Amino acid sequence: MYEIAHRTLTLRTEPLREVVVTIGLPIEEPTGEWSCPYRIDGLAGWEHDRKVTGVDSLQALELAMTMVRAALAGSHEAKEGLLSWDEEPPDGREHTVYVRWEKEHDVAYIAMKHEIVPGEAVRQTLSDDVVLDYAESGELLGVELLNAATTMPSEMRL
């Protein structure tokens, strides 16, 4: 893999360990599709080269980045709060949200975490075409957008 980007995260275990994410250069396959290799070293089960395929080099790269983000966010290490990136900006950083858009019903759900357990949302607030789901602790779990084709930001309507 010809590396074009990598990031090192810290796995806060005893002893401290590193998780290294590597993304390779997208290449055109004989089929005309493009693939982009990636690798995550330091998370159990990810220590081998993987690749995603897209219609062009940009889509392949975007898909590789999406897969890496999902793998990191979905890992038990991240769920237990053991992964950190020491170079995180002190004023905050982007976080993954999970969007599901049911075009046939024109409803979208934006979840603030990977998995919301049934019954976890105990309170809802309705405002116009937006429903907010809250946990018992008051934490915002998700946002349901009615009339999603017009209320959802265009960047999320891909």
Side-chain angles (χ1 to χ4, degrees), residues 19-157:
V19 174
V20 179
V21 176
T22 306
I23 296 181
L25 181 70
I27 58 168
E28 188 171 10
E29 298 288 350
T31 61
E33 294 179 310
W34 286 77
S35 65
C36 185
Y38 65 97
R39 182 182 180 106
I40 303 173
D41 290 308
L43 286 183
W46 287 91
E47 287 89 357
H48 62 275
D49 290 340
R50 296 170 184 247
K51 70 178 180 178
V52 292
T53 304
V55 296
D56 58 26
S57 59
L58 183 59
Q59 184 185 44
L61 181 59
E62 287 175 330
L63 290 171
M65 292 173 59
T66 299
M67 291 299 295
V68 165
R69 182 178 287 250
L72 292 174
S75 70
H76 76 276
E77 293 91 343
K79 290 177 182 177
E80 293 175 16
L82 299 175
L83 273 179
S84 70
W85 178 33
D86 293 335
E87 291 88 26
E88 289 178 11
D91 59 344
R93 62 181 175 90
E94 294 180 5
H95 291 274
T96 300
V97 294
Y98 303 89
V99 180
R100 185 179 67 243
W101 184 18
E102 296 178 17
K103 292 180 184 179
E104 63 277 1
H105 297 108
D106 200 18
V107 174
Y109 194 78
I110 304 168
M112 303 301 152
K113 60 185 202 173
H114 181 61
E115 190 172 323
I116 298 173
V117 178
E120 187 174 3
V122 296
R123 183 171 59 91
Q124 291 185 327
T125 302
L126 175 64
S127 176
D128 296 325
D129 288 339
V130 178
V131 179
L132 303 175
D133 288 339
Y134 293 94
E136 190 172 337
S137 66
E139 172 187 26
L140 178 65
L141 297 173
V143 178
E144 184 176 12
L145 299 174
L146 310 175
N147 300 313
T150 56
T151 58
M152 189 165 50
S154 60
E155 297 87 354
M156 299 176 111
R157 284 187 254 136

